Amino acid sequence: MTRRSPTWEQQDQSNVPLPTLLTQAKDIALGRLHQRLADEGFEGIRYVHGSVFRFIDAEGSRLTTLAERSGLTKQAISELVGELEDQGYVERVPDAVDRRAKIIRLTDQGTMAQVAAARILADIEQRWSRHLGADQVAVLRRALEEVIALERG
C-alpha cells in the first residue's frame, strides 16, 4: 500500500520560503475578498481587475496613467478596462482637456464595489487582529512596509 504525499496545503510550513508564505496569505485573503464581493452582488471582479480599481483616481484616469501605475502594458490595461466596462464598473468619457483622449472613471456600481472591497479587506485585517492580537498585526504591517521599502530601493 502506497502513501499519498501531502498536498501543498498540508505540508510543514516551517520549511516554506517566506516569500511563498506571503504569496499564500495574499492568495487566501484575495480569494476571500472576491468571494465576498460576489456574495454581495459584485459579480465578475477578478484579481487582475485590481490593476484598475487600485490605481484609478477618484475623478478618473487616462489609460496610460493606469498602465504606468500598475506596471502593465497599455494593451493589457485596455483589455481589463473593456471587461470592467462590459460589466458596468467603469466607463470611458472624453477628456475635458484633450477631446481625443478618454478618461476611464468608475460608475456608481464601480464606486460601490471599490468601497465594498475596502470594507472587506478591513474586515479581513480585523479578523487577523482578533486571532493574532492587534500588536502582532501592527508588527507584521511595519515589517512588511520595511521589506517593501528595502526591496524598492
Side-chain angles (χ1 to χ4, degrees), residues 39-68:
D39 291 347
E40 292 184 21
F42 300 106
E43 296 288 337
I45 297 176
R46 298 180 297 125
Y47 170 76
V48 295
H49 294 140
S51 296
V52 175
F53 281 110
R54 285 179 39 222
F55 298 112
I56 196 165
D57 292 324
E59 66 279 1
S61 301
R62 286 187 177 190
L63 192 73
T64 53
T65 302
L66 292 172
E68 289 169 6

PDB file of all heavy atoms in Angstrom, residues 39-68:
ATOM      1  N   ASP A  39     -20.611  37.474  -3.334  1.00  0.00           N
ATOM      2  CA  ASP A  39     -21.753  37.255  -2.437  1.00  0.00           C
ATOM      3  C   ASP A  39     -22.589  38.526  -2.268  1.00  0.00           C
ATOM      4  O   ASP A  39     -23.798  38.459  -2.060  1.00  0.00           O
ATOM      5  CB  ASP A  39     -21.287  36.784  -1.057  1.00  0.00           C
ATOM      6  CG  ASP A  39     -20.703  35.378  -1.064  1.00  0.00           C
ATOM      7  OD1 ASP A  39     -20.874  34.659  -2.080  1.00  0.00           O
ATOM      8  OD2 ASP A  39     -20.049  35.014  -0.066  1.00  0.00           O
ATOM      9  N   GLU A  40     -21.917  39.686  -2.362  1.00  0.00           N
ATOM     10  CA  GLU A  40     -22.615  40.966  -2.205  1.00  0.00           C
ATOM     11  C   GLU A  40     -23.158  41.497  -3.529  1.00  0.00           C
ATOM     12  O   GLU A  40     -23.659  42.608  -3.595  1.00  0.00           O
ATOM     13  CB  GLU A  40     -21.691  41.993  -1.553  1.00  0.00           C
ATOM     14  CG  GLU A  40     -21.372  41.661  -0.114  1.00  0.00           C
ATOM     15  CD  GLU A  40     -20.531  42.720   0.586  1.00  0.00           C
ATOM     16  OE1 GLU A  40     -20.512  43.887   0.122  1.00  0.00           O
ATOM     17  OE2 GLU A  40     -19.904  42.377   1.603  1.00  0.00           O
ATOM     18  N   GLY A  41     -23.022  40.705  -4.600  1.00  0.00           N
ATOM     19  CA  GLY A  41     -23.601  41.090  -5.877  1.00  0.00           C
ATOM     20  C   GLY A  41     -22.641  41.725  -6.863  1.00  0.00           C
ATOM     21  O   GLY A  41     -23.047  42.141  -7.951  1.00  0.00           O
ATOM     22  N   PHE A  42     -21.369  41.814  -6.506  1.00  0.00           N
ATOM     23  CA  PHE A  42     -20.368  42.372  -7.416  1.00  0.00           C
ATOM     24  C   PHE A  42     -19.723  41.221  -8.190  1.00  0.00           C
ATOM     25  O   PHE A  42     -18.605  40.804  -7.915  1.00  0.00           O
ATOM     26  CB  PHE A  42     -19.331  43.193  -6.645  1.00  0.00           C
ATOM     27  CG  PHE A  42     -19.938  44.348  -5.897  1.00  0.00           C
ATOM     28  CD1 PHE A  42     -20.076  44.301  -4.519  1.00  0.00           C
ATOM     29  CD2 PHE A  42     -20.385  45.470  -6.580  1.00  0.00           C
ATOM     30  CE1 PHE A  42     -20.647  45.360  -3.832  1.00  0.00           C
ATOM     31  CE2 PHE A  42     -20.956  46.539  -5.900  1.00  0.00           C
ATOM     32  CZ  PHE A  42     -21.087  46.477  -4.524  1.00  0.00           C
ATOM     33  N   GLU A  43     -20.459  40.734  -9.155  1.00  0.00           N
ATOM     34  CA  GLU A  43     -20.045  39.565  -9.936  1.00  0.00           C
ATOM     35  C   GLU A  43     -18.957  39.931 -10.931  1.00  0.00           C
ATOM     36  O   GLU A  43     -18.905  41.050 -11.423  1.00  0.00           O
ATOM     37  CB  GLU A  43     -21.239  38.994 -10.694  1.00  0.00           C
ATOM     38  CG  GLU A  43     -22.338  38.446  -9.810  1.00  0.00           C
ATOM     39  CD  GLU A  43     -21.983  37.150  -9.122  1.00  0.00           C
ATOM     40  OE1 GLU A  43     -21.098  36.423  -9.621  1.00  0.00           O
ATOM     41  OE2 GLU A  43     -22.585  36.867  -8.084  1.00  0.00           O
ATOM     42  N   GLY A  44     -18.115  38.959 -11.238  1.00  0.00           N
ATOM     43  CA  GLY A  44     -17.170  39.082 -12.324  1.00  0.00           C
ATOM     44  C   GLY A  44     -15.885  39.812 -12.018  1.00  0.00           C
ATOM     45  O   GLY A  44     -15.025  39.927 -12.884  1.00  0.00           O
ATOM     46  N   ILE A  45     -15.729  40.328 -10.803  1.00  0.00           N
ATOM     47  CA  ILE A  45     -14.490  41.021 -10.471  1.00  0.00           C
ATOM     48  C   ILE A  45     -13.432  39.974 -10.158  1.00  0.00           C
ATOM     49  O   ILE A  45     -13.626  39.114  -9.303  1.00  0.00           O
ATOM     50  CB  ILE A  45     -14.678  41.988  -9.284  1.00  0.00           C
ATOM     51  CG1 ILE A  45     -15.670  43.088  -9.662  1.00  0.00           C
ATOM     52  CG2 ILE A  45     -13.334  42.596  -8.873  1.00  0.00           C
ATOM     53  CD1 ILE A  45     -16.005  44.037  -8.531  1.00  0.00           C
ATOM     54  N   ARG A  46     -12.316  40.072 -10.893  1.00  0.00           N
ATOM     55  CA  ARG A  46     -11.228  39.126 -10.716  1.00  0.00           C
ATOM     56  C   ARG A  46     -10.003  39.843 -10.157  1.00  0.00           C
ATOM     57  O   ARG A  46      -9.919  41.061 -10.161  1.00  0.00           O
ATOM     58  CB  ARG A  46     -10.867  38.473 -12.068  1.00  0.00           C
ATOM     59  CG  ARG A  46     -12.001  37.674 -12.669  1.00  0.00           C
ATOM     60  CD  ARG A  46     -11.654  37.035 -13.999  1.00  0.00           C
ATOM     61  NE  ARG A  46     -11.352  38.031 -15.026  1.00  0.00           N
ATOM     62  CZ  ARG A  46     -10.222  38.058 -15.728  1.00  0.00           C
ATOM     63  NH1 ARG A  46      -9.281  37.151 -15.546  1.00  0.00           N
ATOM     64  NH2 ARG A  46     -10.010  38.980 -16.646  1.00  0.00           N
ATOM     65  N   TYR A  47      -9.029  39.052  -9.733  1.00  0.00           N
ATOM     66  CA  TYR A  47      -7.800  39.596  -9.152  1.00  0.00           C
ATOM     67  C   TYR A  47      -7.164  40.651 -10.045  1.00  0.00           C
ATOM     68  O   TYR A  47      -6.787  41.719  -9.585  1.00  0.00           O
ATOM     69  CB  TYR A  47      -6.815  38.444  -8.876  1.00  0.00           C
ATOM     70  CG  TYR A  47      -5.443  38.914  -8.496  1.00  0.00           C
ATOM     71  CD1 TYR A  47      -5.190  39.405  -7.227  1.00  0.00           C
ATOM     72  CD2 TYR A  47      -4.399  38.879  -9.413  1.00  0.00           C
ATOM     73  CE1 TYR A  47      -3.931  39.861  -6.873  1.00  0.00           C
ATOM     74  CE2 TYR A  47      -3.136  39.333  -9.076  1.00  0.00           C
ATOM     75  CZ  TYR A  47      -2.905  39.816  -7.804  1.00  0.00           C
ATOM     76  OH  TYR A  47      -1.667  40.271  -7.457  1.00  0.00           O
ATOM     77  N   VAL A  48      -7.062  40.382 -11.330  1.00  0.00           N
ATOM     78  CA  VAL A  48      -6.386  41.311 -12.246  1.00  0.00           C
ATOM     79  C   VAL A  48      -7.105  42.642 -12.365  1.00  0.00           C
ATOM     80  O   VAL A  48      -6.493  43.648 -12.721  1.00  0.00           O
ATOM     81  CB  VAL A  48      -6.169  40.694 -13.650  1.00  0.00           C
ATOM     82  CG1 VAL A  48      -5.226  39.515 -13.585  1.00  0.00           C
ATOM     83  CG2 VAL A  48      -7.477  40.316 -14.298  1.00  0.00           C
ATOM     84  N   HIS A  49      -8.387  42.678 -12.058  1.00  0.00           N
ATOM     85  CA  HIS A  49      -9.127  43.937 -12.129  1.00  0.00           C
ATOM     86  C   HIS A  49      -8.663  44.928 -11.059  1.00  0.00           C
ATOM     87  O   HIS A  49      -8.920  46.127 -11.172  1.00  0.00           O
ATOM     88  CB  HIS A  49     -10.631  43.681 -12.009  1.00  0.00           C
ATOM     89  CG  HIS A  49     -11.178  42.925 -13.182  1.00  0.00           C
ATOM     90  ND1 HIS A  49     -12.114  41.929 -13.049  1.00  0.00           N
ATOM     91  CD2 HIS A  49     -10.913  43.007 -14.510  1.00  0.00           C
ATOM     92  CE1 HIS A  49     -12.401  41.437 -14.233  1.00  0.00           C
ATOM     93  NE2 HIS A  49     -11.675  42.071 -15.138  1.00  0.00           N
ATOM     94  N   GLY A  50      -7.954  44.427 -10.078  1.00  0.00           N
ATOM     95  CA  GLY A  50      -7.362  45.318  -9.078  1.00  0.00           C
ATOM     96  C   GLY A  50      -6.392  46.303  -9.706  1.00  0.00           C
ATOM     97  O   GLY A  50      -6.157  47.383  -9.165  1.00  0.00           O
ATOM     98  N   SER A  51      -5.846  45.957 -10.861  1.00  0.00           N
ATOM     99  CA  SER A  51      -4.942  46.866 -11.565  1.00  0.00           C
ATOM    100  C   SER A  51      -5.657  48.132 -12.016  1.00  0.00           C
ATOM    101  O   SER A  51      -5.017  49.149 -12.256  1.00  0.00           O
ATOM    102  CB  SER A  51      -4.326  46.171 -12.780  1.00  0.00           C
ATOM    103  OG  SER A  51      -3.531  45.088 -12.370  1.00  0.00           O
ATOM    104  N   VAL A  52      -6.951  48.073 -12.127  1.00  0.00           N
ATOM    105  CA  VAL A  52      -7.750  49.264 -12.416  1.00  0.00           C
ATOM    106  C   VAL A  52      -8.271  49.850 -11.108  1.00  0.00           C
ATOM    107  O   VAL A  52      -8.043  51.029 -10.815  1.00  0.00           O
ATOM    108  CB  VAL A  52      -8.912  48.939 -13.379  1.00  0.00           C
ATOM    109  CG1 VAL A  52      -9.809  50.169 -13.580  1.00  0.00           C
ATOM    110  CG2 VAL A  52      -8.387  48.427 -14.715  1.00  0.00           C
ATOM    111  N   PHE A  53      -8.949  49.054 -10.302  1.00  0.00           N
ATOM    112  CA  PHE A  53      -9.575  49.557  -9.074  1.00  0.00           C
ATOM    113  C   PHE A  53      -8.559  50.198  -8.120  1.00  0.00           C
ATOM    114  O   PHE A  53      -8.864  51.187  -7.475  1.00  0.00           O
ATOM    115  CB  PHE A  53     -10.319  48.431  -8.340  1.00  0.00           C
ATOM    116  CG  PHE A  53     -11.662  48.118  -8.924  1.00  0.00           C
ATOM    117  CD1 PHE A  53     -11.883  46.933  -9.598  1.00  0.00           C
ATOM    118  CD2 PHE A  53     -12.719  49.001  -8.791  1.00  0.00           C
ATOM    119  CE1 PHE A  53     -13.125  46.635 -10.135  1.00  0.00           C
ATOM    120  CE2 PHE A  53     -13.972  48.723  -9.321  1.00  0.00           C
ATOM    121  CZ  PHE A  53     -14.178  47.528  -9.996  1.00  0.00           C
ATOM    122  N   ARG A  54      -7.361  49.629  -8.017  1.00  0.00           N
ATOM    123  CA  ARG A  54      -6.365  50.149  -7.071  1.00  0.00           C
ATOM    124  C   ARG A  54      -5.728  51.446  -7.530  1.00  0.00           C
ATOM    125  O   ARG A  54      -5.276  52.238  -6.705  1.00  0.00           O
ATOM    126  CB  ARG A  54      -5.252  49.113  -6.854  1.00  0.00           C
ATOM    127  CG  ARG A  54      -5.681  47.965  -5.986  1.00  0.00           C
ATOM    128  CD  ARG A  54      -4.606  46.903  -5.774  1.00  0.00           C
ATOM    129  NE  ARG A  54      -3.270  47.421  -5.601  1.00  0.00           N
ATOM    130  CZ  ARG A  54      -2.189  46.880  -6.159  1.00  0.00           C
ATOM    131  NH1 ARG A  54      -2.296  45.833  -6.952  1.00  0.00           N
ATOM    132  NH2 ARG A  54      -1.006  47.364  -5.953  1.00  0.00           N
ATOM    133  N   PHE A  55      -5.664  51.666  -8.841  1.00  0.00           N
ATOM    134  CA  PHE A  55      -4.875  52.783  -9.352  1.00  0.00           C
ATOM    135  C   PHE A  55      -5.684  53.906  -9.991  1.00  0.00           C
ATOM    136  O   PHE A  55      -5.112  54.905 -10.403  1.00  0.00           O
ATOM    137  CB  PHE A  55      -3.827  52.258 -10.342  1.00  0.00           C
ATOM    138  CG  PHE A  55      -2.857  51.313  -9.700  1.00  0.00           C
ATOM    139  CD1 PHE A  55      -2.843  49.969 -10.034  1.00  0.00           C
ATOM    140  CD2 PHE A  55      -1.966  51.759  -8.736  1.00  0.00           C
ATOM    141  CE1 PHE A  55      -1.944  49.088  -9.425  1.00  0.00           C
ATOM    142  CE2 PHE A  55      -1.062  50.884  -8.122  1.00  0.00           C
ATOM    143  CZ  PHE A  55      -1.056  49.559  -8.469  1.00  0.00           C
ATOM    144  N   ILE A  56      -6.983  53.778 -10.056  1.00  0.00           N
ATOM    145  CA  ILE A  56      -7.802  54.797 -10.695  1.00  0.00           C
ATOM    146  C   ILE A  56      -8.022  55.969  -9.737  1.00  0.00           C
ATOM    147  O   ILE A  56      -8.222  55.780  -8.538  1.00  0.00           O
ATOM    148  CB  ILE A  56      -9.141  54.197 -11.192  1.00  0.00           C
ATOM    149  CG1 ILE A  56      -9.815  55.120 -12.184  1.00  0.00           C
ATOM    150  CG2 ILE A  56     -10.054  53.849 -10.022  1.00  0.00           C
ATOM    151  CD1 ILE A  56     -10.929  54.445 -12.973  1.00  0.00           C
ATOM    152  N   ASP A  57      -7.926  57.189 -10.257  1.00  0.00           N
ATOM    153  CA  ASP A  57      -8.184  58.385  -9.459  1.00  0.00           C
ATOM    154  C   ASP A  57      -9.688  58.563  -9.268  1.00  0.00           C
ATOM    155  O   ASP A  57     -10.490  58.087 -10.084  1.00  0.00           O
ATOM    156  CB  ASP A  57      -7.618  59.626 -10.157  1.00  0.00           C
ATOM    157  CG  ASP A  57      -6.100  59.633 -10.204  1.00  0.00           C
ATOM    158  OD1 ASP A  57      -5.467  59.177  -9.231  1.00  0.00           O
ATOM    159  OD2 ASP A  57      -5.553  60.095 -11.228  1.00  0.00           O
ATOM    160  N   ALA A  58     -10.067  59.265  -8.215  1.00  0.00           N
ATOM    161  CA  ALA A  58     -11.479  59.489  -7.918  1.00  0.00           C
ATOM    162  C   ALA A  58     -12.195  60.156  -9.094  1.00  0.00           C
ATOM    163  O   ALA A  58     -13.356  59.850  -9.379  1.00  0.00           O
ATOM    164  CB  ALA A  58     -11.626  60.320  -6.652  1.00  0.00           C
ATOM    165  N   GLU A  59     -11.515  61.077  -9.787  1.00  0.00           N
ATOM    166  CA  GLU A  59     -12.118  61.778 -10.928  1.00  0.00           C
ATOM    167  C   GLU A  59     -11.922  61.029 -12.239  1.00  0.00           C
ATOM    168  O   GLU A  59     -12.372  61.469 -13.293  1.00  0.00           O
ATOM    169  CB  GLU A  59     -11.566  63.201 -11.042  1.00  0.00           C
ATOM    170  CG  GLU A  59     -10.102  63.291 -11.386  1.00  0.00           C
ATOM    171  CD  GLU A  59      -9.134  63.109 -10.214  1.00  0.00           C
ATOM    172  OE1 GLU A  59      -9.577  62.888  -9.059  1.00  0.00           O
ATOM    173  OE2 GLU A  59      -7.918  63.169 -10.456  1.00  0.00           O
ATOM    174  N   GLY A  60     -11.232  59.897 -12.189  1.00  0.00           N
ATOM    175  CA  GLY A  60     -10.955  59.110 -13.379  1.00  0.00           C
ATOM    176  C   GLY A  60      -9.502  59.247 -13.783  1.00  0.00           C
ATOM    177  O   GLY A  60      -8.789  60.139 -13.314  1.00  0.00           O
ATOM    178  N   SER A  61      -9.056  58.368 -14.639  1.00  0.00           N
ATOM    179  CA  SER A  61      -7.655  58.338 -15.078  1.00  0.00           C
ATOM    180  C   SER A  61      -7.583  57.984 -16.550  1.00  0.00           C
ATOM    181  O   SER A  61      -8.440  57.281 -17.074  1.00  0.00           O
ATOM    182  CB  SER A  61      -6.859  57.299 -14.285  1.00  0.00           C
ATOM    183  OG  SER A  61      -6.887  57.563 -12.910  1.00  0.00           O
ATOM    184  N   ARG A  62      -6.515  58.449 -17.166  1.00  0.00           N
ATOM    185  CA  ARG A  62      -6.242  58.034 -18.542  1.00  0.00           C
ATOM    186  C   ARG A  62      -5.705  56.609 -18.534  1.00  0.00           C
ATOM    187  O   ARG A  62      -5.109  56.160 -17.556  1.00  0.00           O
ATOM    188  CB  ARG A  62      -5.207  58.959 -19.174  1.00  0.00           C
ATOM    189  CG  ARG A  62      -5.751  60.311 -19.543  1.00  0.00           C
ATOM    190  CD  ARG A  62      -4.727  61.092 -20.300  1.00  0.00           C
ATOM    191  NE  ARG A  62      -5.263  62.365 -20.727  1.00  0.00           N
ATOM    192  CZ  ARG A  62      -4.660  63.168 -21.550  1.00  0.00           C
ATOM    193  NH1 ARG A  62      -3.465  62.846 -22.045  1.00  0.00           N
ATOM    194  NH2 ARG A  62      -5.211  64.307 -21.902  1.00  0.00           N
ATOM    195  N   LEU A  63      -5.880  55.945 -19.648  1.00  0.00           N
ATOM    196  CA  LEU A  63      -5.393  54.582 -19.809  1.00  0.00           C
ATOM    197  C   LEU A  63      -3.885  54.506 -19.573  1.00  0.00           C
ATOM    198  O   LEU A  63      -3.399  53.596 -18.895  1.00  0.00           O
ATOM    199  CB  LEU A  63      -5.741  54.080 -21.216  1.00  0.00           C
ATOM    200  CG  LEU A  63      -5.563  52.602 -21.472  1.00  0.00           C
ATOM    201  CD1 LEU A  63      -6.653  51.817 -20.772  1.00  0.00           C
ATOM    202  CD2 LEU A  63      -5.597  52.325 -22.958  1.00  0.00           C
ATOM    203  N   THR A  64      -3.145  55.472 -20.116  1.00  0.00           N
ATOM    204  CA  THR A  64      -1.689  55.457 -19.963  1.00  0.00           C
ATOM    205  C   THR A  64      -1.286  55.593 -18.498  1.00  0.00           C
ATOM    206  O   THR A  64      -0.311  54.970 -18.068  1.00  0.00           O
ATOM    207  CB  THR A  64      -1.029  56.582 -20.784  1.00  0.00           C
ATOM    208  OG1 THR A  64      -1.643  57.831 -20.439  1.00  0.00           O
ATOM    209  CG2 THR A  64      -1.158  56.334 -22.266  1.00  0.00           C
ATOM    210  N   THR A  65      -2.027  56.367 -17.732  1.00  0.00           N
ATOM    211  CA  THR A  65      -1.744  56.522 -16.305  1.00  0.00           C
ATOM    212  C   THR A  65      -1.968  55.200 -15.571  1.00  0.00           C
ATOM    213  O   THR A  65      -1.142  54.794 -14.746  1.00  0.00           O
ATOM    214  CB  THR A  65      -2.624  57.634 -15.693  1.00  0.00           C
ATOM    215  OG1 THR A  65      -2.369  58.852 -16.392  1.00  0.00           O
ATOM    216  CG2 THR A  65      -2.358  57.801 -14.213  1.00  0.00           C
ATOM    217  N   LEU A  66      -3.068  54.529 -15.878  1.00  0.00           N
ATOM    218  CA  LEU A  66      -3.340  53.228 -15.251  1.00  0.00           C
ATOM    219  C   LEU A  66      -2.262  52.214 -15.609  1.00  0.00           C
ATOM    220  O   LEU A  66      -1.837  51.433 -14.751  1.00  0.00           O
ATOM    221  CB  LEU A  66      -4.719  52.708 -15.664  1.00  0.00           C
ATOM    222  CG  LEU A  66      -5.918  53.488 -15.129  1.00  0.00           C
ATOM    223  CD1 LEU A  66      -7.209  52.982 -15.763  1.00  0.00           C
ATOM    224  CD2 LEU A  66      -5.986  53.403 -13.619  1.00  0.00           C
ATOM    225  N   ALA A  67      -1.812  52.240 -16.847  1.00  0.00           N
ATOM    226  CA  ALA A  67      -0.753  51.313 -17.281  1.00  0.00           C
ATOM    227  C   ALA A  67       0.531  51.592 -16.509  1.00  0.00           C
ATOM    228  O   ALA A  67       1.177  50.665 -16.003  1.00  0.00           O
ATOM    229  CB  ALA A  67      -0.529  51.426 -18.785  1.00  0.00           C
ATOM    230  N   GLU A  68       0.907  52.856 -16.399  1.00  0.00           N
ATOM    231  CA  GLU A  68       2.136  53.220 -15.676  1.00  0.00           C
ATOM    232  C   GLU A  68       2.056  52.806 -14.211  1.00  0.00           C
ATOM    233  O   GLU A  68       3.003  52.234 -13.671  1.00  0.00           O
ATOM    234  CB  GLU A  68       2.379  54.731 -15.770  1.00  0.00           C
ATOM    235  CG  GLU A  68       2.803  55.209 -17.132  1.00  0.00           C
ATOM    236  CD  GLU A  68       2.773  56.726 -17.260  1.00  0.00           C
ATOM    237  OE1 GLU A  68       2.539  57.436 -16.257  1.00  0.00           O
ATOM    238  OE2 GLU A  68       2.983  57.212 -18.396  1.00  0.00           O
TER     239      GLU A  68
END
